[in-house]
Every structure is written in structure tokens, then in C-alpha cells.
Amino acid sequence: MADVSLTTRPGHHVPATRGEQTAPAAEPSWDLIELLFFAYRDFVGDPDEVLAKLGFGRAHHRVLHFVNRNPGIKVADLLDVLKITKQSLGRVLKQLIDDGYVVQREGDHDRRQRLLYVTPAGEALAMQLADLQTTRISRVLGELGPSGGEAVRRFLAGMINAEDRDRVLRMIAGADRARLRRRDGAR
Amino acid sequence: MADVSLTTRPGHHVPATRGEQTAPAAEPSWDLIELLFFAYRDFVGDPDEVLAKLGFGRAHHRVLHFVNRNPGIKVADLLDVLKITKQSLGRVLKQLIDDGYVVQREGDHDRRQRLLYVTPAGEALAMQLADLQTTRISRVLGELGPSGGEAVRRFLAGMINAEDRDRVLRMIAGADRARLRRRDGAR
DNA sequence: CGAAATATGTCAATACTGCTGACATAATGG
DNA sequence: CCATTATGTCAGCAGTATTGACATATTTCG
């Protein structure tokens, strides 16, 4: 592959000063700032193409993704995860429902709630999009080895706002466990 | 708190057991997909707040950033880097120019060109935004150690589309060299 | 020189995604 | 019964992106 010759050139952007724990002070991390921009752009680019053919955008992807990952999620919790407003969600959610990718069910105990689930078509689409992104990720992780992958996970988790970090990590772990239960558990 | 509770509902979404077992495709990298989403959201969140107070958005940030990093860049090259259209760029660029953060100069050899430069105010703003992002990055990198940082760089570079990767990496390295020349070179 | 190509700017129209504020409905819970 | 909660919806606005067409100045080339 492109043999990344970004090996922090001594004396450049990584200050020898050991105080870089918190302070930018010296030289900005230009390379990582720009790598994050380009990497994220291409990371979401693959799904974008598929979605465009269905008349959907990135917002639809996010909603579909989190509903697929958290079947039965409440609207309020989805708003909390996505950090968007009810109105923004409503528009894309309505389209996903009208097009048969998502369904709503009344809550068992609280009939005000509209619990969200993907339909078979919704799951198929969500999985297709996740597979596209997984292909890109796996190729790179394979070149890094397990310890590199672990460093990447720790880096990304650390980049999340401290207030949200634990909740996000719990959600990821929780959805994984639930998926496993659904897959090989009794149903 | 968004306690995403998932009660396995009977019979609505298809439990992907069949498909996943027959399909040789591995399980999607749910954790990295979601970590990238949350990490990037918060990574751009800090600058967003500063920009909003100036009446700017994310698009202004990207333009200002790359002009600051590549003084004298041509409009066409900026379009190429950002992968947006001339019209989209024109609007935000005009605002940055009107507000005194960017200036245009005729090309020396080709007077059709409008080479872009940041003003002192533009550089100050660009550096302020970069420092915000660098603070977030440095805190995490400090916890990872040098080898972890190198793994992160290789991961992000690998995530970029292969067609663009070399060009992007050259641009990053080139801008670093140019900045050094300007800083401690002749002047 | 004159025509074609290039670099840029601009206008009109449209789409997607986000926002605020207000209001409506239904259900829960004390 | 009443306050609160969960959700939906309407109207309007903003920011960022798109395509297509057209205009202007400049360079390049036959």
C-alpha cells in the first residue's frame, strides 16, 4: 500500500517537550487533523453512493444504522444518540418508514412510546452499508496487526467527549451482546 | 440517560442467522464504525462552536484550514482537495474574503489565477481552531505512546481512497515542509 | 492574429440536513 | 383531575451541497 511515510519527522510537529499531555502550545497536529478529514470523508463515501440511488442521504444512514443496532430503541433515545432535534429526525424517519425500511411499535408497558425496528429490507440495507465500511476497515486493520487495531480503538474512544464516552462505549458493548443473543439465542 | 434497552421482540426483524452464516463475509466492524462516527463528531464539534460565533460554518473552516496550510493555492486546486463544486466554494470563500480572513492575488505567471492567502486574522483563526483540535488529539496520543500514534496514522492513511492517498500524503508532507521554510527560512 | 482552451466568477434553481418555536395528541402517574 | 412525558407535526429559516448555463479575462497554439 501507500507506505505511509508520515513517520513523525523528528523536530517537526511532535514537540520534544513532554508537556503535550493537554496543551497544544507548540505545533498543531496538522497531519492527524487532515488525515481525519480525508479518512472520514472516504469512510462515509461508499455508503453515500448506495444511499443516493435510493433517494436517501447520510441522515437516513445514521438512523437506519442505530435502529438496526438497537432494535426497539425509543425515539427519545435515538435523538439522544444522534444529537439532533426531533424535527430533523422526524423527516428522515418518516421516509424510512414510508419506504418500508423501519417500523414502529407501541411500547408494551408504555403505549406512548414508539419503539423502532428495522424491517427485513431495512436490515439488509443496513448490513450492506456496514459491509462496505467493514471492507475498508478490515483491509487496513489487516495491515496493522492486533496491537495496531487496539491502539486505533483507544484513540477513537479517547477522541469522544468525556461526558459521552462511557455511555457510547456501553452502547457499543450492549448492542454487541444483544446481537449475539438474537443470533444464537432462543427466539 | 439513553439506556438503550433492547428487548428481543418476537418476529419483527429477521434474525440474520441464515444470511450471516452462509455469507462468508465476516461480522461487520460495528465498534470501529460507531467509534469513527462519535469521534469525528466531537472532533469537529469544538471548532464548530467558535465558528458559529463568527457566523461561519464547517465549510468556512475547511477552506480557511487548507488556505492557511497551502498559501498561494489556486482555486482549482482547492476545489480538488475539498471535492466540492465551484459554486459551493464561491459562497463561503466570498464571505471569508469580505470578512478579511482571506485575500486573493493574481498569479505571477498566469494572471487568470487567483491565488489564495490567509490574512493575519485568518491565520490567527485557523491556528485557534487547529489548537482546539490538537488539544483533543494530543491528550489521547499522550496516553497511547509513539507506537500507538504511528498505528493511528497508518490506519487513517489507509482509510483514504487508494487513488487519492498518495496525493493527500504528499500534500500533508509538502505543506509541512513549506511551513518550516516560512517559519525559519529566509525572512 | 485569431481561435480554442483555461481559470475563475456568477446566476438560477433545487435538495438535504440541521435549527427554533409553537402547538397537538395521547398516555402515564401521583 | 392534573402535571408530566413521549411523540408527532407545522411553519419558517439557515448552511451546505448540487447541476447547468453563461460571462470575462487570459493564455496557448496553429
Side-chain angles (χ1 to χ4, degrees), chain A residues 43 65 130 133-134 137, chain B residues 28-37:
Chain A
F43 167 68
H65 173 95
Q133 298 186 310
T134 298
I137 289 171
Chain B
S29 304
W30 298 116
D31 56 347
L32 280 165
I33 290 173
E34 289 171 10
L35 284 172
L36 269 164
F37 166 68

Side-chain angles (χ1 to χ4, degrees), chain A residues 30-177:
Chain A
W30 297 117
D31 57 347
L32 280 165
I33 290 173
E34 289 171 11
L35 284 173
L36 269 164
F37 167 69
F38 291 111
Y40 192 79
R41 183 184 64 180
D42 291 345
F43 167 68
V44 295
D46 290 335
D48 279 353
E49 290 178 31
V50 175
L51 292 158
K53 291 173 186 162
L54 299 172
F56 293 150
R58 227 169 264 182
H60 301 84
H61 184 192
R62 294 197 283 264
V63 172
L64 182 66
H65 173 95
F66 284 106
V67 172
N68 179 54
R69 279 275 284 169
N70 303 282
I73 190 174
K74 290 189 298 179
V75 169
D77 287 344
L78 190 50
L79 289 175
D80 207 42
V81 166
L82 299 175
K83 290 227 180 93
I84 59 175
T85 58
K86 194 169 40 166
Q87 295 73 13
S88 297
L89 173 61
R91 209 170 14 208
V92 300
L93 184 55
K94 187 175 190 309
Q95 287 175 273
L96 287 170
I97 292 170
D98 289 348
D99 290 10
Y101 293 97
V102 171
V103 290
Q104 293 174 309
R105 297 259 300 230
E106 273 188 356
D108 289 337
H109 305 317
D110 187 337
R111 294 200 333 230
R112 292 171 302 181
Q113 296 175 347
R114 298 299 144 84
L115 307 186
L116 303 172
Y117 299 87
V118 290
T119 64
E123 178 170 24
L125 178 55
M127 295 300 279
Q128 182 192 353
L129 300 175
D131 280 348
L132 283 175
Q133 298 186 310
T134 298
T135 296
R136 182 179 293 265
I137 289 171
S138 299
R139 181 179 44 72
V140 186
L141 285 190
E143 298 165 358
L144 285 189
S147 68
E150 207 38 51
V152 170
R153 283 184 178 83
R154 288 204 287 151
F155 172 77
L156 293 176
M159 291 286 287
I160 301 171
N161 283 342
E163 320 88 79
D164 300 336
R165 190 149 52 223
D166 286 351
R167 185 167 65 87
V168 166
L169 294 180
R170 275 200 306 274
M171 195 205 67
I172 292 176
D176 281 345
R177 281 196 304 273

Side-chain angles (χ1 to χ4, degrees), chain B residues 108-172:
Chain B
D108 288 338
H109 306 315
D110 187 338
R111 293 199 333 230
R112 293 170 304 181
Q113 296 175 347
R114 299 299 144 85
L115 307 185
L116 303 172
Y117 298 86
V118 289
T119 63
E123 178 171 22
L125 178 56
M127 295 299 278
Q128 181 193 353
L129 299 174
D131 280 349
L132 282 175
Q133 298 187 309
T134 298
T135 296
R136 184 179 290 264
I137 290 171
S138 298
R139 180 178 46 72
V140 185
L141 285 191
E143 299 165 357
L144 285 189
S147 69
E150 202 43 43
V152 170
R153 283 184 177 84
R154 289 207 287 152
F155 172 77
L156 293 175
M159 291 287 287
I160 300 171
N161 283 342
E163 320 88 79
D164 299 336
R165 190 149 52 224
D166 286 350
R167 187 168 62 87
V168 166
L169 295 180
R170 274 199 306 274
M171 197 205 65
I172 292 175

